[in-house]
Each structure stands twice: as structure tokens, then as C-alpha cells.
Amino acid sequence: FAQKLEGEHVFRGVLHHSVMLTEGTEEQKKFDSLQMSANDCIVATYPKSGTTWMQEIVWLIYNGVDIEKAKQSPLDERCPFMEIAPKIDFITDMQSPKLLKTHLLHLGLPTSFLNKSNDSRPRIVYVARNPKDVAVSFYHFYRSNKSLGNFNRGWNEFFEMFISGYVVFGDWFSHVITWYETAKKDSTILFIKYEDMKRNSLEEISKIAKFLGKDISTEMLETLYDHTKFESMKKNPMVTFAKNPSIDSSISPFLRKGEIGDWKNYFTVAQNERFMDIYNEKMKDTDLSFQFE
Ligand code: A3P
């Protein structure tokens, strides 16, 4: 069921396509000399885990919950995707606080700060989501995003691609488990789960603000929550990628359902059994767990 991508290559252990960084290029050198400090933040995720949601939250926490300012420019300019090659100059020239997004593994991040002490490294918020909902969300993203090989096959084919790790950014298990284990030992990384964000939004947002060292009043917290809940974000053109030419929202909108448990509408009983066998095997050496409903 392999779905070949244009310019497919592996960068720092994850599968990339043509617009993403390639080893040995000028852009990769600039990426590895990127200067970041403890006042900056990277939102890291495996795709379809709530990245956009967390980017908007983090941006608002850094910007005094200024909703009007947030509505003035697209989120991917306020918090750009750091491994897209054509964006590297923009990212290099960004003023601090630099807020960035990545789907790379921790070891794939710029060497310029990876080995420095904690007080000279950016804060990282990693969001993880249960893999069955990730798979379904990813399936719809593959269908609607032209840069992912014009995927036009069905769910069963995508399921096979997902469990074999043959999707952009690779295998869910190795991504999430390595970030989780790294975060346990590294106080500059906060590991958050999508399901906790859905169920205890206010608590989780407070935890993030505290981790980022920003004061946030109860009133600001409520404003932030209101602006970033699914129904509000779905109506906000600055976060929906509505103008992104590679995404066809009529096939599937970027903010699609935003729920826990939509996988039940896609996984067959046999697929679920197969998936859980793989899940139990791959997760057996970690204390990380997920809620699937
Ligand atoms: P669904 O396809 O299940 O709806 P990412 O930003 O990492 O690509 O993740 C996209 C997924 O996060 C989509 O999932 C999207 O709807 C969901 N999402 C985005 N904003 C959200 C929000 N405010 N609340 C809940 N889910 C959200």
C-alpha cells in the first residue's frame, strides 16, 4: 500500500517530502545554527495530535492573551513549522520570543542548542494523542493534502500504511515513546496529552503557562479557553489553513471533528484487535498510557 511522496527522503530519522529539510543543504546548516533561548518555545508533536491547538494556546500565553493581535496574522506565521526548507530564513530572522512548531524527533532538533545547559535551551511542549484517533485524523489529512502524494485510497489502505510507519514523520510508537522517555529526564520538556486537554482544558492550560513561566489570571485563562475551544477555532480563519493551497477543505476540513473516540467509526473489529496487539507489544516497556474514549 506504499504511497510514494514527491521528493521522499529521510531526515533525522523521520520520513520527509520535497519541501522539508534535506541533509547537506544550506538550509540544513542554517537550521543547525538556529539560535534559541529559554525564552523561546517549540511545540512538538507527531502529526494530527493537536499541534495547531497547542500552537494557538502557547502563542496567546506568550502574548498576554491578546485575542485581537492573534486574529491579525495566520498561526503559521506566528508559530512557523521549523523543518520546512523555504521558511528557514524567516525563522532565523524571527525576534525572540521565537515560537516554533516541529514534528521531528528530539534528537533531530538543531545541534546549536541541543547540548547546551537547560537555561540556554528553548522550552518544549510535546502533545501526544491516542494513536487510533491520530490514524483516523491522519487518514483525512492525507486525503485532503495534495502534498502528501495525492492519496486517493480508502481507510483500509491507510490503516496498513499507518501501522507499518510508512507515513510522513514515520512510526507513531517510536516518536511518542522516545519523546516521553526524554521528557521524563529533561525539565525543559512538558509532555501533555490531547485527551487531558479535552477533558481538563483549564487545568492543562494553567500547567502550560506555569511551565512557560508566564502569569495568567483566571480571567485571561477563561478568555484563552474560550478562544481555543474547538468550536471557536473552527470559525477562525487564522488557524484553519483555509487559505493553504495544498489543502482542499472540501475533501476534509483541517479542524475536522476534534473528538476523542472517532476511531470507532473507522476501525473494524479485526483492525482494532491487530492494532491493540501491536500497541501492547510496543508499549510494554513504558509507563505511558492513553485513553481511547
Ligand atoms: P480531527 O481530525 O480528529 O478532528 P494537528 O494540528 O496536529 O494537525 O491536529 C489536528 C487535529 O486536532 C484534528 O483532529 C483537529 O480537529 C484537532 N483540533 C484542532 N484544534 C482543536 C481544538 N481546539 N480542540 C480539539 N481538537 C482540535
Side-chain angles (χ1 to χ4, degrees):
F1 295 115
Q3 181 74 33
K4 198 88 182 145
L5 302 166
E6 192 192 326
E8 183 176 300
H9 63 285
V10 171
F11 179 73
R12 310 271 159 99
V14 294
L15 182 69
H16 269 211
H17 61 88
S18 51
V19 297
M20 316 304 263
L21 288 175
T22 308
E23 219 62 75
T25 57
E26 271 312 300
E27 288 90 350
Q28 174 255 308
K29 287 183 198 124
K30 288 182 186 170
F31 176 82
D32 276 322
S33 6
L34 205 61
Q35 296 306 312
M36 293 190 81
S37 72
N39 194 29
D40 301 326
C41 180
I42 300 174
V43 173
T45 59
Y46 183 84
K48 314 320 291 174
S49 304
T51 329
T52 315
W53 187 12
M54 187 59 76
Q55 285 171 272
E56 186 73 347
I57 291 172
V58 164
W59 188 90
L60 284 165
I61 291 174
Y62 268 86
N63 288 275
V65 193
D66 189 340
I67 305 287
E68 287 316 307
K69 197 171 161 202
K71 285 185 186 156
Q72 281 162 21
S73 50
L75 183 56
D76 58 359
E77 283 173 21
R78 289 179 280 128
C79 180
F81 198 176
M82 65 192 287
E83 58 265 31
I84 293 204
K87 284 204 178 158
I88 198 67
D89 287 329
F90 178 79
I91 287 165
T92 305
D93 295 342
M94 272 172 90
Q95 300 288 313
S96 188
K98 261 184 207 198
L99 307 179
L100 302 174
K101 145 186 164 180
T102 189
H103 291 317
L104 288 173
L105 299 170
H106 186 251
L107 273 173
L109 292 178
T111 47
S112 51
F113 58 73
L114 214 50
N115 298 321
K116 289 196 171 161
S117 65
N118 281 4
D119 43 341
S120 34
R121 272 191 289 152
R123 308 295 97 163
I124 298 178
V125 180
Y126 186 87
V127 194
R129 183 182 191 185
N130 84 72
K132 295 196 241 181
D133 283 334
V134 167
V136 169
S137 184
F138 219 167
Y139 163 60
H140 290 288
F141 192 58
Y142 255 79
R143 289 171 58 233
S144 60
N145 188 339
K146 289 191 216 66
S147 61
L148 298 178
N150 291 310
F151 180 81
N152 58 6
R153 304 197 200 150
W155 160 250
N156 292 340
E157 284 95 338
F158 187 80
F159 175 82
E160 299 301 328
M161 283 163 59
F162 187 78
I163 59 172
S164 66
Y166 192 71
V167 284
V168 263
F169 300 100
D171 179 49
W172 180 89
F173 293 97
S174 47
H175 206 281
V176 176
I177 296 170
T178 52
W179 269 102
Y180 177 71
E181 297 299 332
T182 309
K184 280 209 272 191
K185 294 176 259 155
D186 185 335
S187 61
T188 67
I189 307 171
L190 179 68
F191 190 95
I192 294 274
K193 291 180 196 164
Y194 177 96
E195 292 73 22
D196 293 338
M197 288 287 298
K198 278 293 283 187
R199 296 208 159 106
N200 313 312
S201 306
L202 295 176
E203 265 171 53
E204 294 300 300
I205 298 170
S206 302
K207 200 202 283 181
I208 298 158
K210 191 163 172 232
F211 168 75
L212 296 172
K214 310 284 177 206
D215 281 331
I216 183 160
S217 67
T218 311
E219 201 190 333
M220 283 158 87
L221 187 63
E222 274 160 17
T223 308
L224 203 166
Y225 165 69
D226 210 52
H227 176 80
T228 54
K229 62 184 185 216
F230 183 78
E231 299 71 29
S232 312
M233 284 201 28
K234 196 167 171 66
K235 284 189 255 158
N236 177 356
M238 293 305 169
V239 301
T240 54
F241 292 84
K243 296 210 172 86
N244 186 319
S246 56
I247 297 176
D248 184 345
S249 304
S250 68
I251 298 178
S252 182
F254 190 84
L255 269 87
R256 193 183 58 89
K257 275 200 176 170
E259 286 172 3
I260 306 169
D262 190 37
W263 63 270
K264 290 182 185 165
N265 298 317
Y266 293 83
F267 280 61
T268 62
V269 172
Q271 282 171 340
N272 191 39
E273 277 171 12
R274 256 178 88 201
F275 190 85
M276 288 317 288
D277 283 347
I278 300 171
Y279 181 88
N280 291 330
E281 171 62 24
K282 298 235 179 174
M283 303 287 277
K284 71 177 188 317
D285 297 325
T286 172
D287 58 351
L288 176 63
S289 61
F290 284 91
Q291 295 177 343
F292 289 101
E293 48 197 287

